[in-house]
Amino acid sequence: MSHSKSIARNAATVGGATLLSRIAGFVRDMVVAFALGAGPISDAFFVAFRVPNLLRRLFGEGALTMAFIPVFARARQEQGQERAFELARSAFVWQALILAVLTGLAVALARPLTLLIAPGFSSDPAQFELTVQLVRICFPYVLFISAVALAMGVLNSLGHFLSPALSPVLLNLVLIAAALTGYYTGGQVAVWLAWGVFAAGVVQLLFQIPFLRGRGFRLIGPMRLRDAYVGRVGRLMLPTVFGAAVYQVNIILSTMLASFLPSGSVTYLYYADRLVEFPLGVFGFALSTAA
């Protein structure tokens, strides 16, 4: 099969799975809107959910995978598959260490972090305290979803695209279940959703492990934490992180401004952003991932 045909086939696989994920995402948004409504509580949840997603896009599925895949492929070509697997294990460890420190800081400093992202919430103490609580629950999600992104890089490099592309479907299903459980049990829907975010990260990571094992990769094994290939991944990440950060700053500023607007504005902004990202996710993401 020619290279262009291979890209087209893989893009179709990712695009089909992403389309399924986006449809599930629309159902999720409908269920969350039904269970949570649009007001101060929903605003608190979406701010808390946005915080780990900012780091996910900076250090996970964006910058890391774009830097990791070419280096992994080069290590595999130059020194064989086992050497490439050593690189992958080292990257997993470095990623876990760095994000564990950031997560610990975010949990400890949840109040100033919330004040930075949504300063307008400070005028409503109840909403601000709820947001701080939700940030502390949601933030560890970044540990798991970034590991999922790295697993995606390994699997994509080995020619497997379906399971990583289906991973977001699991997030949508878990959040649907969390929203409905919170609503019908009379609990705090926002808190149920926050724990759903955490659980979804764990489920998404566990989902990738059998596929990694099926291609010979084990998380436990030889690694080289101080390694030329690992250093190359770090150097390649820097410009990508900078580029992604520019877009994320725009999102932060939008959220900050929306926090000063009438109740529900952050929620409306979130849903509008989801609609705008639909075609980009289905077509642009699929083609770029395959290429």
Side-chain angles (χ1 to χ4, degrees):
M1 181 180 295
S2 69
H3 189 59
S4 59
K5 288 183 179 180
S6 176
I7 290 177
R9 183 194 64 184
N10 293 331
T13 299
V14 177
T18 305
L19 179 60
L20 177 63
S21 170
R22 294 292 174 169
I23 292 173
F26 274 121
V27 175
R28 179 195 88 191
D29 289 341
M30 291 169 62
V31 170
V32 171
F34 161 76
L36 201 58
I41 295 177
S42 64
D43 285 354
F45 170 71
F46 286 123
V47 166
F49 188 35
R50 190 176 291 283
V51 172
N53 273 316
L54 294 176
L55 284 182
R56 183 204 76 190
R57 294 180 179 182
L58 283 177
F59 300 107
E61 64 192 27
L64 179 59
T65 50
M66 290 177 66
F68 174 79
I69 288 176
V71 178
F72 180 88
R74 182 170 180 175
R76 188 171 174 229
Q77 182 181 23
E78 292 177 347
Q79 301 193 32
Q81 184 156 290
E82 286 306 315
R83 182 68 180 85
F85 285 169
E86 288 184 8
L87 163 64
R89 293 187 194 99
S90 302
F92 271 109
V93 171
W94 275 113
Q95 180 191 66
L97 290 173
I98 293 170
L99 291 179
V101 172
L102 289 176
T103 299
L105 290 173
V107 171
L109 303 174
R111 288 180 182 278
L113 181 60
T114 301
L115 192 61
L116 174 66
I117 300 295
F121 288 4
S122 59
S123 61
D124 184 344
Q127 184 187 32
F128 183 80
E129 290 300 324
L130 176 61
T131 307
V132 170
Q133 177 189 0
L134 297 180
V135 166
R136 287 175 172 153
I137 299 172
C138 285
F139 200 93
Y141 170 72
V142 74
L143 284 167
F144 302 103
I145 197 60
S146 296
V148 170
L150 191 52
M152 178 181 74
V154 174
L155 289 169
N156 287 173
S157 299
L158 298 175
H160 178 78
F161 292 83
L162 183 59
S163 64
L166 285 175
S167 180
V169 176
L170 299 175
L171 169 67
N172 294 323
L173 293 178
V174 171
L175 289 185
I176 288 171
L180 293 177
T181 302
Y183 182 81
Y184 286 111
T185 59
Q188 281 189 292
V189 176
V191 175
W192 274 93
L193 281 168
W195 282 112
V197 170
F198 179 88
V202 177
V203 170
Q204 287 176 277
L205 180 58
L206 293 177
F207 179 68
Q208 303 303 322
I209 291 177
F211 296 97
L212 290 168
R213 288 179 175 174
R215 280 149 186 81
F217 179 76
R218 300 289 188 275
L219 287 172
I220 306 299
M223 66 181 72
R224 306 182 190 184
L225 295 182
R226 300 183 66 180
D227 177 72
Y229 287 120
V230 174
R232 186 175 298 166
V233 173
R235 289 192 297 273
L236 287 175
M237 277 188 66
L238 291 177
T240 313
V241 167
F242 177 77
V246 173
Y247 177 69
Q248 299 309 317
V249 167
N250 182 54
I251 293 177
I252 292 174
L253 290 175
S254 298
T255 304
M256 290 172 62
L257 293 173
S259 71
F260 288 102
L261 297 176
S263 178
S265 296
V266 172
T267 303
Y268 303 143
L269 178 64
Y270 172 82
Y271 287 136
D273 189 49
R274 293 274 294 168
L275 286 170
V276 169
E277 287 186 349
F278 181 85
L280 177 64
V282 174
F283 301 106
F285 178 74
L287 186 58
S288 64
T289 298

